[in-house]
Amino acid sequence: MKRLLPKSLVGQLLALVAVTLLIAQGINIVLLYRGAQNQKIVEASVSAVGRITGEIERMNERGFRERRPRRDDRPRRRRNRPSVTADSAIANAQSRLPVVEERAALAFENMGVAVLAVEVARVDRLPPAMINNVIGRGRGRQQTLRAVGYRNKPNMIDGYVLMSAQIADGRWMNIAAVVRDRNPQLVRTLLFQTAVIYLILLIPLIWLGRNISRPLKALTNAAENFKPGESMPIEESGPPDTRQLIAAFNEMNDRVGAMLDEKDVMLGAIGHDLRTPLAALRVRVESVEDDAERERMVAGIGDMDRTLDDILSLARLGRTDDTAEPTDISALIETVADEFTDMGADVSFTRSGRITGNIRATLIRRALRNLIGNAVTYGKQAAISVDKDGDRLVIHVDDAGPGIPDDQIAAMFEPFARAEKSRNRETGGSGLGLTLARAIVRDHGGDIVLQNRAEGGLRASLILNLD
């Protein structure tokens, strides 16, 4: 069922209104159809009441007498006139119409005609005894509807209404009235009415839906491409609720930008306040006479400086002034691999041709250094390979280390998280390398995935979108 529903807000709104309107119009059509059926029976009953009333009045004026047969011995037909019998023409097995009987009795009373009882039934076929006592059938041709607004088209016979009225002397007057089928005209009218209602209702809804969806689509695009402090305000348009939502988003954008500006100022002050004493401490350390002690102190100061640089770089990510430029990514990978090779590390790169893309080379170079550095530190070697599928580039960095337990892989991207729990630089970094690398790649619209290899070791996959 969900697959059949439209995905857009406008589509779902129109579908809901269309289905609701269809159900309501269907109920309306059923009620009108039943009303039309009842109206046909009422019209036939009215004709029958009128004919019986006229015959009763004629009898009261002239008295009832049997007509003599013709000289040629053929009986005279009483066409379109009630028959007078000792019993009612309506059999017990026929379906009676109590409501019509009550209305017919009331009609006789209102016209001043005294009847003892009235029986009414609807039949599909005319009983043989009533073949010459029918009104509305015409003489050998189909009668046509001549109401205003309709063409003279044939009306098919849809049955008969039999009416028997018992007069004062106990005899029954029996008459049959034709029920005409006018439903084709009714159906066409209802279909035309439904089409008009749909047009009148759905066209304004389509306009309203587009008026709502257009600013919402602009807001969605702005949220998807949101860059804190850099996104331009969205024009407020649409209904009042949508305008309020866009205004709230613009205010949020301004607040986030202000907070990031304050953060940059604070980070700049922290970096200045920490690096100044570290530089002074490095100068003082140079005066230490013990070479081994001096080297350890210099190494400790270097670790603090690198950790501080990682923290500031991670905090400032996304606010850099660097712009993406066309870059030979294969050459960039080869340059980083050569840096580690020159330092004696076991790093290899399988180059598969020239691959270019719009990236910020300085940041991607840093992310690669962090991944290769982790592979060399924990896995003793780094084998780099590249897979390219359309606009998707994947840089694999494989090592030969022990890997990482599957339930701990996600935690490795958390700040200061390390598989080796100490903070000793000899056994690893500060725990910010993977965090910073993933943040850089995600800022480029990609991601970093870690997975254990079946043959042993860990694979870090750097995924980039080059479009």
Side-chain angles (χ1 to χ4, degrees):
M1 183 62 183
K2 292 183 178 180
R3 295 181 179 178
L4 299 178
L5 292 176
K7 296 182 179 180
S8 65
L9 173 64
V10 178
Q12 292 182 1
L13 177 62
L14 293 178
L16 177 61
V17 173
V19 171
T20 304
L21 183 59
L22 181 62
I23 294 174
Q25 193 66 3
I27 296 174
N28 183 39
I29 290 175
V30 171
L31 294 177
L32 289 177
Y33 180 81
R34 293 181 60 182
Q37 294 291 330
N38 294 333
Q39 182 65 24
K40 292 189 299 183
I41 295 176
V42 169
E43 290 176 357
S45 302
V46 168
S47 299
V49 169
R51 188 58 56 90
I52 291 175
T53 300
E55 187 68 16
I56 292 175
E57 291 178 348
R58 188 190 65 81
M59 290 175 56
N60 291 337
E61 294 176 356
R62 301 181 182 180
F64 176 78
R65 57 183 177 180
E66 292 288 345
R67 289 185 177 266
R68 297 178 181 179
R70 293 183 176 182
R71 294 179 180 179
D72 54 4
D73 296 331
R74 289 184 300 173
R76 184 182 298 273
R77 296 184 178 180
R78 296 166 54 87
R79 185 183 297 275
N80 299 337
R81 294 176 61 183
S83 64
V84 181
T85 59
D87 297 318
S88 173
I90 298 176
N92 294 331
Q94 291 175 339
S95 179
R96 302 264 297 274
L97 303 175
V99 175
V100 179
E101 291 175 351
E102 293 178 3
R103 293 182 178 180
L106 182 59
F108 282 122
E109 182 181 352
N110 292 335
M111 289 188 291
V113 177
V115 295
L116 301 179
V118 179
E119 295 182 358
V120 181
R122 185 186 186 282
V123 295
D124 294 329
R125 293 184 178 180
L126 191 65
M130 301 292 295
I131 195 68
N132 293 320
N133 308 106
V134 184
I135 55 176
R137 188 170 56 179
R139 295 179 179 270
R141 67 180 186 276
Q142 196 72 274
Q143 290 186 342
T144 57
L145 178 66
R146 301 181 183 274
V148 176
Y150 293 97
R151 295 181 180 178
N152 291 336
K153 292 185 177 180
N155 291 310
M156 303 302 296
I157 295 177
D158 191 29
Y160 301 88
V161 170
L162 302 183
M163 181 176 293
S164 296
Q166 190 177 27
I167 58 179
D169 60 4
R171 290 177 299 177
W172 293 81
M173 281 194 174
N174 311 295
I175 193 70
V178 172
V179 177
R180 294 292 178 181
D181 185 11
R182 301 176 185 175
N183 290 331
Q185 297 290 346
L186 174 65
V187 172
R188 286 194 292 270
T189 301
L190 292 177
L191 292 177
F192 176 75
Q193 180 189 40
T194 303
V196 171
I197 292 176
Y198 266 95
L199 291 176
I200 293 176
L201 186 60
L202 292 184
I203 290 178
L205 284 177
I206 293 175
W207 175 83
L208 178 62
R210 290 186 177 276
N211 194 33
I212 295 175
S213 64
R214 190 178 296 109
L216 287 180
K217 185 176 181 180
L219 181 61
T220 301
N221 293 334
E224 291 176 347
N225 301 318
F226 178 71
K227 292 184 178 181
E230 298 181 9
S231 300
M232 297 298 294
I234 307 174
E235 180 183 358
E236 298 179 14
S237 60
D241 293 343
T242 307
R243 290 175 177 268
Q244 292 177 4
L245 178 61
I246 295 176
F249 179 83
N250 290 334
E251 292 178 2
M252 181 197 69
N253 184 31
D254 294 339
R255 290 196 301 270
V256 171
M259 292 172 59
L260 291 177
D261 291 338
E262 293 177 0
K263 184 202 69 172
D264 289 343
V265 173
M266 180 184 65
L267 290 175
I270 291 175
H272 179 269
D273 291 344
L274 290 180
R275 281 200 168 99
T276 298
L278 284 176
L281 185 59
R282 184 187 296 273
V283 172
R284 292 189 181 93
V285 165
E286 296 298 332
S287 62
V288 176
E289 296 181 357
D290 189 338
D291 293 340
E293 185 67 20
R294 184 174 64 253
E295 292 297 330
R296 284 195 295 271
M297 295 175 68
V298 170
I301 294 173
D303 290 343
M304 295 175 62
D305 190 59
R306 285 190 293 272
T307 301
L308 178 62
D309 184 61
D310 287 343
I311 293 174
L312 294 177
S313 297
L314 182 62
R316 287 173 176 166
L317 192 63
R319 304 276 286 179
T320 178
D321 294 333
D322 293 343
T323 57
E325 296 178 349
T327 304
D328 186 347
I329 299 177
S330 297
L332 177 65
I333 298 173
E334 189 172 15
T335 300
V336 177
D338 290 342
E339 293 176 0
F340 283 90
T341 302
D342 293 341
M343 293 185 294
D346 185 4
V347 178
S348 61
F349 172 48
T350 303
R351 184 163 184 168
S352 58
R354 179 185 175 91
I355 301 174
T356 60
N358 289 328
I359 61 173
R360 283 174 282 181
T362 302
L363 294 177
I364 295 298
R365 182 183 292 109
R366 185 161 192 171
L368 283 172
R369 283 173 180 166
N370 290 350
L371 294 181
I372 297 173
N374 284 343
V376 171
T377 301
Y378 297 106
K380 308 304 180 184
Q381 68 177 33
I384 308 172
S385 59
V386 176
D387 290 334
K388 188 175 184 298
D389 183 11
D391 293 331
R392 187 171 182 266
L393 177 68
V394 182
I395 304 172
H396 300 294
V397 179
D398 300 333
D399 64 38
I404 300 174
D406 292 337
D407 58 347
Q408 297 183 18
I409 288 180
M412 290 297 100
F413 290 102
E414 299 296 329
F416 306 109
R418 286 177 49 186
E420 201 280 323
K421 300 300 181 181
S422 71
R423 295 295 175 207
N424 190 346
R425 280 281 180 176
E426 295 179 358
T427 59
S430 62
L432 290 174
L434 278 177
T435 305
L436 180 59
R438 187 174 69 168
I440 290 172
V441 177
R442 285 187 172 180
D443 191 53
H444 282 73
D447 204 354
I448 292 179
V449 178
L450 301 179
Q451 57 182 355
N452 291 302
R453 296 193 299 159
E455 60 272 23
L458 184 72
R459 164 169 283 189
S461 301
L462 190 154
I463 305 170
L464 286 175
N465 294 319
L466 302 180
D467 54 349

